[in-house]
Amino acid sequence: MPIHSQAKRLLRTLTGVAVAAVTLPGASSAIAATATPDPFYEYTDSTPLSSYAPGTVLKTRTITYRILGLATPLKATQLLYRSVDVQMRPVANVTTVVKPSCLLCLNKNKVVSYQSFYDSLNPEDSPSRSIAGGKRLPDLIPGVETALFAPFLIQGYTIIIPDTEGPKANFAAGPEYGYHTLNSIRAALKSPELGLPSNTKVAMIGYSGGAIASEWAAELAPTYAPDVNQKLIGSAIGGVLVHPDHNLDYIQGSPIWGGVAGMALIGVGRSFDLNLPQYLSEKGLALHEKMKNQSIVNVLGQYPDLYWKDIVKPEYENRLKLGAYVDSVNKVIMGTGGTPTTPMFIGQGTGGELEGTKASPIWGKGDGVMLAGDVRTLARQYCAKGVQIEHKEYALSHFTSMAVWLPQAIGWVNDRFRNKPVPQNCASIQPGNPLDPVVALP
């Protein structure tokens, strides 16, 4: 696979900008800057949004690719496109597409949809806003992620980076992530400005929050977006949130990840229009007000003693007595939206103790935030339905597993584009946890 010298120079420069954004004296003032309104994100035409097909491009603009506000040599195309939220209501969402800079792009029909782990309850933290010039601390995440998909860009692939959480930043609302990802791919394939060829193939990749989007897109694609599904060649995911109710048991009270449960409760509740405050205690109301627009960078390690029983009214201390919670959490269990028809590479850590999260007496080990037993069961379910799965476990934490998973995932995706035989190890995946829906109590 030839590596284009021009692309290599661009990526070396980009990496330098990423490092400078973090280390230069001016970085602190850049990080502290506030966001400004951007009219590109607003759909204001008189034609009802619902009259457009999902994936229709509504607006297009070309921008300089920026990291914490610092310009790189790369250009990006941003598309405002028609999508749907978790309740299938029409919304306008944004995706960013980076095409390689090369004189002869031999891989112009190869596209990688990279799903970010920006993990936020604030729409201002989306990758598209960060890439367009965001200078706040949460904008550091998409900046760092540039280096993660750089190997694909160097090879001449086109990169799609959707705002997976949608215009309201509905954190952890898995199906919504999937819809936005699939409609983002539709928009990119339809865009005349991008000019992607008709024989374009697409691979999806994502870790943690990006795995939520990539997995849900893979399982929803056969029924929701068969036109996209026929373009897909596989999905590589790692650090996977399968059954959020299990994860709540696992991470509540943990020193680093405890606050993420609060974020997920707010995000999923918001996506299903739940009036959460009516169920919350005084402490819960204060937490909700403080957290409702926060990024994960403002939450990690800040809520080491956060437990469900402390944030809800006494009558809901057993969360199974809260019907609204049960209804919502069951709708975001992976595998309930369909079955992928394309291969998957799945990596998951089991060393959560390295990040201070003890193994669950009910659900077993995880990486600190995601449960390995849940991931094994999901993989086995897909295997039983004929999906080609390569599953790996690492005796590492969530953060450290990524360092091992990423090069494996990149190699796996490259092999799919090269039409190599698909590896699978379904027969050796050990049993995991049951993924049954939660049953409400009277």
Side-chain angles (χ1 to χ4, degrees), residues 52 116 140-141 344 430 441:
Y52 293 108
S116 168
L140 181 61
I141 293 177
M344 299 188 76
Q430 296 300 306
L441 296 176

Side-chain angles (χ1 to χ4, degrees), residues 61-66 74-78 96 128 131-133:
R61 70 178 179 184
T62 299
I63 62 168
T64 296
Y65 193 110
R66 296 178 181 272
L74 294 175
K75 296 294 183 182
T77 300
Q78 293 192 322
T96 303
S128 66
I131 292 167

Side-chain angles (χ1 to χ4, degrees), residues 125-145:
D125 299 336
S126 63
S128 66
R129 294 177 188 264
S130 299
I131 292 167
K135 301 177 182 180
R136 299 153 59 249
L137 179 59
D139 295 314
L140 181 61
I141 293 177
V144 169
E145 287 183 295

Side-chain angles (χ1 to χ4, degrees), residues 14-312:
L14 188 148
T15 303
V17 171
V19 173
V22 182
T23 60
L24 287 178
S28 59
S29 60
I31 290 174
T34 57
T36 55
D38 187 338
F40 181 75
Y41 291 80
E42 299 299 323
Y43 177 74
T44 57
D45 289 359
S46 57
T47 303
L49 189 57
S50 59
S51 66
Y52 293 108
T56 299
V57 178
L58 306 170
K59 293 183 187 179
T60 303
R61 70 178 179 184
T62 299
I63 62 168
T64 296
Y65 193 110
R66 296 178 181 272
I67 298 176
L68 283 181
L70 301 177
T72 77
L74 294 175
K75 296 294 183 182
T77 300
Q78 293 192 322
L79 308 173
L80 182 75
Y81 63 97
R82 199 274 212 192
S83 189
V84 295
D85 66 11
V86 76
Q87 299 185 60
M88 303 301 290
R89 297 173 298 198
V91 296
N93 198 46
V94 175
T95 191
T96 303
V97 184
V98 186
K99 297 191 71 175
S101 177
C102 49
L103 296 176
L104 180 62
C105 291
L106 300 179
N107 292 318
K108 62 182 179 181
N109 66 332
K110 298 175 181 178
V111 172
V112 171
S113 183
Y114 176 85
Q115 282 61 250
S116 168
F117 48 79
Y118 65 104
D119 298 347
S120 179
L121 291 164
N122 188 344
E124 293 293 337
D125 299 336
S126 63
S128 66
R129 294 177 188 264
S130 299
I131 292 167
K135 301 177 182 180
R136 299 153 59 249
L137 179 59
D139 295 314
L140 181 61
I141 293 177
V144 169
E145 287 183 295
T146 305
L148 306 185
F149 61 73
F152 296 120
L153 195 58
I154 289 174
Q155 294 179 84
Y157 300 174
T158 295
I159 312 298
I160 304 174
I161 313 157
D163 292 353
T164 54
E165 296 181 9
K168 293 184 178 179
N170 290 330
F171 174 70
E176 182 162 339
Y177 284 38
Y179 295 137
H180 293 317
T181 299
L182 293 169
N183 287 322
S184 160
I185 296 171
R186 278 174 163 158
L189 294 173
K190 293 177 181 178
S191 169
E193 286 80 4
L194 294 174
L196 293 171
S198 59
N199 65 342
T200 293
K201 296 298 181 183
V202 182
M204 298 188 295
I205 186 170
Y207 190 83
S208 191
I212 296 175
S214 301
E215 196 286 333
W216 274 99
E219 70 173 82
L220 290 169
T223 53
Y224 176 73
D227 52 320
V228 174
N229 196 57
Q230 67 181 357
K231 300 285 188 181
L232 294 179
I233 60 171
S235 306
I237 60 176
V240 189
L241 176 64
V242 177
H243 196 305
D245 183 69
H246 295 180
N247 289 80
L248 175 56
D249 281 328
Y250 178 51
I251 67 173
Q252 62 177 341
S254 63
I256 294 178
W257 293 102
V260 176
M263 289 184 65
L265 181 64
I266 294 171
V268 174
R270 189 157 68 194
S271 71
F272 288 106
D273 294 328
L274 304 184
N275 180 15
L276 282 179
Q278 66 180 311
Y279 308 116
L280 301 180
S281 65
E282 185 175 340
K283 180 177 179 179
L285 289 170
L287 177 76
H288 183 276
E289 186 62 26
K290 183 177 180 180
M291 194 181 282
K292 64 183 181 181
N293 292 310
Q294 292 286 2
S295 162
I296 195 169
V297 300
N298 306 117
V299 171
L300 288 179
Q302 301 302 306
Y303 300 91
D305 298 309
L306 182 61
Y307 291 88
W308 170 275
K309 63 181 178 61
D310 297 327
I311 65 172
V312 295

